[in-house]
Amino acid sequence: MSAPATASGAAPPELLRAQQNAVVQMVTIGPVAEELATRFADAGHRLFLVGGSVRDALLGREVSDLDFTTDARPEEILAVVHGWTDAVWDTGIAFGTVGARRRGTTVEITTFRADAYDRVSRNPVVRFGDTIEDDLVRRDFTVNAMAVELTGSERRFVDPYGGLAALAAGTLDTPATPEESFADDPLRMLRAARFVSQLGLTPADRVLVAMTNMAGELARITRERVQAELNKLILGTHPRRAIELMVDTGLCEQVLPEVPAMRLAIDEHMQHKDVYTHSLVVMEQAIERETDGPDLVLRLSALLHDIGKPDTRRKEPDGRVSFHHHEVVGAKMTRKRLRELKYSKAIVDDVSQLVFLHLRFHGYSGGEWTDSAVRRYVTDAGPLLDRLHKLVRSDCTTRNRRRAAALQRSYDSLEERIARLSEQETLDAIRPDLDGNEIMRLLGIPPGPQVGKAYKHLLALRMERGPMSYEEAEAELRAWAAENLG
């Protein structure tokens, strides 16, 4: 993006107008915004496109939802949009926000704010403001404190805190002091890391100092809000940079303390600075293997796959370092951390299972696995198999090219065996050759624990021997029953 910096008053008025006009031309104003501006102007109110909507438009990013601010009070906003919207909701009206939808476009319209915060619960004491400048100074970062006035004789670019210059320089700074901004809402520190990931911005030095000194304040924020920001950060374009920022400032201790803890463990191959750096590389390599857009489960699994290493680190008699069963310990740690961050059961289960399974391939090595071992690998992975393939391949970060090539060939061999077996049978839906109803009918027993035991016995045989005919399965069932049911 190339754009003129905001003038401070030294430039002639005609130059300022030219600069403003140039910036306004960069912000595409769609028909929905045009219609809304006309309605507010007709009602005698001012309306500004504001915040992320302006920032993303200047960056050439897609702008789907539109944010506005106005001098109209909430009840006046409702009156203006009445009869124009396809839907309206006022769940945020206590904070001055009215949401609406028009022809598929979602808009949020908020009265100028000049809030104060209690700085304990971070809940604002809502106070409506009278000027756009008062509204913008309370926003999180200068790149989000820009606005375009849509009402009036002509459009006007409003940038009292240098957001355009910061955006052009790739700098992340705050309108007020960072200490004031982060004390008002500590989540803004994590949001800073999110903008590093999403937009590639670099925090100003004073922002870094404040984040480092105030990282502990993040403990005041609910886990649900922290998780929402973390997800956006992980799914961004530069998640490694954001994670490194969180670790360097101490924020990560408040969110994912297991990640900075990995700096203490030396990788068993002695090839990496530490397990922390290795995990960041694995996450980057996993991202390169994504095929259907950013994958939260895969990225979390890659970042966390080795978090069990610090707790399992042992120095062997020969001087080497081992991490026996770190995948088991890591899966438990992952489950505990993701639950604490209020992730859904599905995400907790999937990420934990991938962490648990990521090391199993290394028992394959030269391809000596039996068909039953291959079946079990596929069955245990279930619908996560494709992600497991990507994670395991990404986990190869050795600098030894020959060893790296050998590992990739070995995994190629495993995938080829999976494909061959899949042609013979449906591996991803392996079931015993007799279901529970057949077991009860053949043995003449009611529902209960014995049916489950018989089912597990037949499943084990199925994994070991592959598909059996009905007659073979019945014979095995009756043999088991004779031995176990008396």
Side-chain angles (χ1 to χ4, degrees):
M1 182 195 72
S2 176
T6 311
S8 61
E14 59 272 16
L15 178 57
L16 288 177
R17 284 195 295 272
Q19 289 177 334
Q20 289 183 355
N21 289 338
V23 172
V24 169
Q25 292 302 314
M26 297 171 64
V27 181
T28 301
I29 308 297
V32 169
E34 296 274 15
E35 293 173 16
L36 196 59
T38 298
R39 295 182 73 89
F40 272 83
D42 290 346
H45 295 295
R46 303 171 72 186
L47 185 72
F48 297 79
L49 186 68
V50 71
S53 298
V54 176
R55 179 202 69 217
D56 287 345
L58 291 173
L59 288 172
R61 302 176 84 214
E62 181 180 354
V63 180
S64 53
D65 299 336
L66 302 175
D67 291 324
F68 300 91
T69 188
T70 178
D71 60 342
R73 294 316 194 232
E75 62 277 7
E76 294 172 321
I77 296 174
L78 287 172
V80 170
V81 301
H82 179 72
W84 174 77
T85 60
D86 301 322
V88 64
W89 50 95
D90 58 4
T91 52
I93 200 165
F95 299 98
T97 299
V98 173
R101 185 179 298 112
R102 171 73 169 174
R103 295 197 303 273
T105 298
T106 299
V107 302
E108 281 198 350
I109 310 158
T110 303
T111 301
F112 291 159
R113 297 268 291 276
D115 301 335
Y117 289 78
D118 63 18
R119 297 191 175 181
V120 176
S121 67
R122 80 74 43 193
N123 292 325
V125 179
V126 178
R127 183 165 64 87
F128 297 135
D130 297 313
T131 69
I132 183 64
E133 289 77 14
D134 287 343
D135 180 89
L136 295 178
V137 75
R138 55 169 288 278
R139 293 180 180 264
D140 53 3
F141 300 104
T142 60
V143 295
N144 296 329
M146 299 179 285
V148 175
E149 184 169 12
L150 305 181
T151 47
S153 58
E154 61 181 21
R155 290 181 187 145
R156 179 172 68 96
F157 179 59
V158 184
D159 182 20
Y161 305 106
L164 181 62
L167 194 61
T171 301
L172 194 65
D173 205 347
T174 53
T177 67
E179 288 77 11
E180 290 177 281
S181 181
F182 299 156
D184 283 346
D185 186 357
L187 189 67
R188 289 173 172 175
M189 293 184 285
L190 191 56
R191 197 173 296 143
R194 190 242 291 185
F195 288 131
V196 168
S197 177
Q198 289 182 329
L199 305 178
L201 301 177
T202 300
D205 289 343
R206 69 174 191 161
V207 171
L208 289 174
V209 170
M211 289 173 68
T212 303
N213 292 338
M214 301 178 67
E217 294 294 309
L218 197 61
R220 290 200 271 130
I221 304 302
T222 65
R223 296 295 89 180
E224 290 84 356
R225 294 183 71 215
V226 168
Q227 183 222 111
E229 284 297 329
L230 179 63
N231 290 346
K232 294 173 185 176
L233 181 159
I234 293 289
L235 292 172
T237 307
H238 311 285
R240 175 173 179 169
R241 286 184 55 190
I243 294 295
E244 289 174 333
L245 173 63
M246 290 174 62
V247 170
D248 292 343
T249 57
L251 278 179
C252 211
E253 292 284 354
Q254 305 296 323
V255 182
L256 292 170
E258 297 82 2
V259 172
M262 289 191 288
R263 291 178 297 180
L264 305 177
I266 303 301
D267 181 87
E268 70 265 39
H269 306 304
M270 303 298 180
Q271 294 294 323
H272 302 287
K273 179 181 178 181
D274 49 33
V275 176
Y276 163 68
T277 302
H278 162 77
S279 298
L280 294 176
V281 172
V282 172
M283 181 175 67
E284 288 185 314
Q285 295 187 165
I287 290 171
E288 292 173 1
R289 289 181 164 86
E290 290 175 338
T291 53
D292 298 312
D295 185 337
L296 180 63
V297 168
L298 178 63
R299 294 187 183 196
L300 283 172
S301 303
L303 177 64
L304 303 177
H305 77 284
D306 273 348
I307 62 172
K309 281 189 171 180
D311 285 356
T312 57
R313 183 172 184 255
R314 299 290 183 273
K315 189 170 183 179
E316 302 297 339
D318 63 1
R320 290 175 62 84
V321 175
S322 67
F323 303 96
H324 295 307
H325 306 301
H326 75 267
E327 75 282 10
V328 177
V329 173
K332 292 179 180 177
M333 293 172 65
T334 297
R335 184 173 294 276
K336 180 179 179 181
R337 177 56 54 197
L338 296 187
R339 282 176 172 169
E340 194 271 339
L341 287 170
K342 307 299 183 182
Y343 276 94
S344 67
K345 182 178 184 302
I347 290 180
V348 172
D349 289 347
D350 287 352
V351 177
S352 301
Q353 183 70 348
L354 285 169
V355 172
F356 177 70
L357 293 174
H358 85 272
L359 203 62
R360 186 174 296 183
F361 158 73
H362 293 281
Y364 184 79
S365 62
E368 64 273 14
W369 277 9
T370 62
D371 284 352
S372 65
V374 175
R375 291 189 190 98
R376 194 169 299 278
Y377 187 78
V378 174
T379 302
D380 288 349
L384 297 172
L385 183 61
D386 182 61
R387 286 182 172 125
L388 183 59
H389 290 333
K390 293 172 182 174
L391 175 59
V392 173
R393 287 186 181 276
S394 301
D395 195 24
C396 175
T397 61
T398 177
R399 297 175 186 172
N400 185 320
R401 293 186 178 182
R402 182 175 298 178
R403 185 171 185 274
L407 284 170
Q408 296 297 344
R409 284 196 302 271
S410 186
Y411 207 87
D412 288 342
S413 171
L414 175 58
E415 287 203 56
E416 289 168 4
R417 288 186 64 188
I418 290 172
R420 285 198 302 271
L421 282 172
S422 293
E423 292 176 0
Q424 303 167 22
E425 52 189 286
T426 307
L427 275 178
D428 59 357
I430 290 178
R431 297 290 185 271
D433 296 275
L434 300 175
D435 63 18
N437 290 328
E438 282 293 283
I439 291 171
M440 289 186 288
R441 185 183 67 80
L442 290 171
L443 298 183
I445 58 175
Q450 298 299 338
V451 177
K453 292 178 181 178
Y455 184 92
K456 289 181 180 179
H457 172 72
L458 291 176
L459 178 59
L461 287 177
R462 175 72 168 78
M463 297 289 293
E464 190 66 33
R465 291 164 45 177
M468 293 182 287
S469 68
Y470 184 90
E471 291 75 14
E472 290 173 321
E474 181 180 352
E476 291 291 348
L477 174 65
R478 294 192 182 282
W480 175 87
E483 183 176 339
N484 292 275
L485 299 183

